[in-house]
Amino acid sequence: LFPACQGAETQPPPADAAMVRDSDPPPRPDGPVVDHRVDPPVMMTLATFNVHDLFDEVDDPLHEDLILSSTAAAGKLAAVGKALRAVNADVIALQEVENKAILDRLNAQELKAQGYSHVRLYEGNDMRGINVALLSRFPIIRTVSHAQDRFPGVDGDTKMHAFSRDCLEMIIEPAAGRQLVLLVNHLRATESTD
């Protein structure tokens, strides 16, 4: 019996009840042997943070980006870095990061001691140039961008849609043989806040 059932009074099943096995059937001689043991859990902390317009001082001619002064960019990096250091998560999903260069600056200048040695950001579909990103202390063994994926709408909508930014799909390996799949997205608001 399962450990939770030990010591409980058991009643014989009714005569018409289906029999339930409390163990796996023996492996078939011609089939694979499956190991059902589970490794101990891996403790980790995950966080997500919309950094709200983490832009740099450089005009990107392909996007309608904000161009910050050097002082404003440094202040923004310091404020975001302070918040992320306080959270001290092992893996952090970020939204509204302009580009890999500003993400690398954040990591090098503000988070160097945090150990985020695995960093991802792929350019998405946003006209302002804001993207989703990931900082991780654990290896990222696979990354897939879904920025170019197209999918139909629902409820009779026949138009093909795309993610408004990107949907990054990443596999993180917090321990040997243990994997975690993360999807990082930032959907565009459909209603005005005015």
Side-chain angles (χ1 to χ4, degrees):
L1 291 175
F2 294 104
C5 298
Q6 291 177 349
E9 287 188 24
T10 58
Q11 299 292 325
D16 60 347
M19 293 303 295
V20 178
R21 287 188 242 188
D22 62 358
S23 64
D24 290 335
R28 294 181 13 204
D30 61 340
V33 175
V34 179
D35 184 356
H36 292 286
R37 292 177 293 180
V38 177
D39 290 334
V42 176
M43 299 303 293
M44 62 188 302
T45 54
L46 304 174
T48 184
F49 184 33
N50 182 335
V51 295
H52 189 66
D53 294 342
L54 182 57
F55 286 97
D56 61 19
E57 310 91 330
V58 180
D59 181 23
D60 179 350
L62 301 176
H63 296 102
E64 300 166 10
D65 59 329
L66 292 175
I67 305 166
L68 301 180
S69 68
S70 295
T71 303
K76 183 74 172 190
L77 287 169
V80 170
K82 181 178 180 181
L84 294 178
R85 286 190 305 274
V87 170
N88 195 29
D90 296 309
V91 178
I92 303 175
L94 299 172
Q95 299 82 35
E96 298 196 22
V97 180
E98 181 182 12
N99 54 42
K100 182 80 165 44
I102 196 76
L103 181 63
D104 287 342
R105 278 175 58 191
L106 171 68
N107 198 23
Q109 293 174 10
E110 302 294 332
L111 303 173
K112 188 174 187 174
Q114 300 303 112
Y116 297 117
S117 55
H118 308 279
V119 179
R120 295 291 188 279
L121 181 147
Y122 293 174
E123 296 287 328
N125 299 320
D126 188 79
M127 292 302 297
R128 295 189 312 127
I130 57 174
N131 301 290
V132 296
L134 192 83
L135 299 170
S136 177
R137 292 177 177 144
F138 300 113
I140 302 170
I141 60 172
R142 182 171 181 243
T143 304
V144 177
S145 169
H146 292 283
Q148 302 305 315
D149 291 3
R150 300 296 179 262
F151 44 89
V154 295
D155 298 328
D157 178 4
T158 59
K159 179 182 172 189
M160 295 302 285
H161 297 269
F163 288 105
S164 54
R165 277 81 183 211
D166 192 358
C167 180
L168 284 181
E169 175 184 345
M170 285 161 280
I171 299 176
I172 295 176
E173 191 170 55
R178 303 297 295 265
Q179 296 180 353
L180 174 67
V181 177
L182 291 176
L183 298 174
V184 181
N185 195 343
H186 179 42
L187 300 173
R188 187 181 315 250
T190 58
E191 295 182 15
S192 173
T193 57
D194 297 332

